[in-house]
């Protein structure tokens, strides 16, 4: 993924290389292929208790690098940049999974830099600095057993 859209995969990489995770936790870089995975979860006999998703958004009133949670119902159908959200169909699947199974779905977002005319690989400095903080928040939630 290009630019700050690589936040989620960068968080996965940081978690896998810097922390021992419990056997009950799956950390997965889904990239843009989350739809197939979610379909499998919808028909699987065992459902996860919680799913955490990391994503970069560009929302008004936030500074680059700010971390915040956003509800599924608040996730923009189109990213503010005007590009379609790669998860649009997946948001519907996540809502189905949450509603039908009671799985807690949480989205940890980072405020990305405004997109330049040409997007290149690599995270902005502000988003790069948010990765360890995001991992700390996720690990706190995993350890607490809260939804």
């Amino acid at each position: 993924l290009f630019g700050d859209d690589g936040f989620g995969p960068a968080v996965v990489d940081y978690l896998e290389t810097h922390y021992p995770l419990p056997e009950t936790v799956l950390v997965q870089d889904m990239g843009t292929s989350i739809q197939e995975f979610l379909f499998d979860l919808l028909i699987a006999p065992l459902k996860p208790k919680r799913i955490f998703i990391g994503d970069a958004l560009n929302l008004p009133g936030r500074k680059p690098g700010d971390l915040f949670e956003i509800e599924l119902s608040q996730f923009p159908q189109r990213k503010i940049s005007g590009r379609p959200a790669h998860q649009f169909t997946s948001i519907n699947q996540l809502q189905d999974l949450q509603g039908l199974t009671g799985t807690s779905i949480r989205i940890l977002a980072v405020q990305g830099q405004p997109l330049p005319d040409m997007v290149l690989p690599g995270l902005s400095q502000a988003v790069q600095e948010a990765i360890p903080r995001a991992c700390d928040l996720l690990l706190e939630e995993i350890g607490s057993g809260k939804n």
Side-chain angles (χ1 to χ4, degrees):
L1 298 173
F2 288 102
D4 288 342
D5 272 340
F7 172 71
V11 168
V12 167
D13 182 59
Y14 196 90
L15 280 170
E16 290 180 332
T17 58
H18 290 87
Y19 298 98
L21 296 169
E23 288 183 15
T24 58
V25 173
L26 170 67
V27 178
Q28 187 73 40
D29 173 3
M30 300 310 298
T32 58
S33 63
I34 192 171
Q35 291 178 1
E36 293 81 12
F37 183 74
L38 290 175
F39 179 75
D40 289 345
L41 282 180
L42 281 168
I43 62 172
L46 295 173
K47 310 290 190 261
K49 292 180 184 175
R50 297 182 288 174
I51 295 176
F52 296 94
I53 298 171
D55 201 3
L57 297 175
N58 289 312
L59 299 177
R62 297 191 182 273
K63 295 184 307 189
D66 283 351
L67 291 171
F68 56 97
E69 268 197 58
I70 187 167
E71 299 289 328
L72 282 174
S73 61
Q74 297 171 320
F75 196 86
Q77 290 183 13
R78 295 183 66 80
K79 290 201 177 181
I80 299 303
S81 65
R83 295 179 305 127
H86 56 266
Q87 300 98 333
F88 176 65
T89 304
S90 301
I91 292 297
N92 293 335
Q93 289 175 309
L94 286 166
Q95 289 170 333
D96 288 345
L97 183 64
Q98 184 171 264
L100 296 172
T101 68
T103 298
S104 172
I105 312 284
R106 308 227 349 238
I107 300 173
L108 178 60
V110 67
Q111 178 71 16
Q113 294 280 2
L115 292 177
D117 292 333
M118 178 181 275
V119 180
L120 300 171
L123 300 173
S124 66
Q125 185 67 32
V127 171
Q128 184 70 39
E129 291 171 0
I131 292 170
R133 295 190 328 261
C135 291
D136 288 343
L137 289 170
L138 290 169
L139 289 170
E140 184 179 309
E141 290 296 319
I142 291 168
S144 73
K146 292 188 243 175
N147 286 337

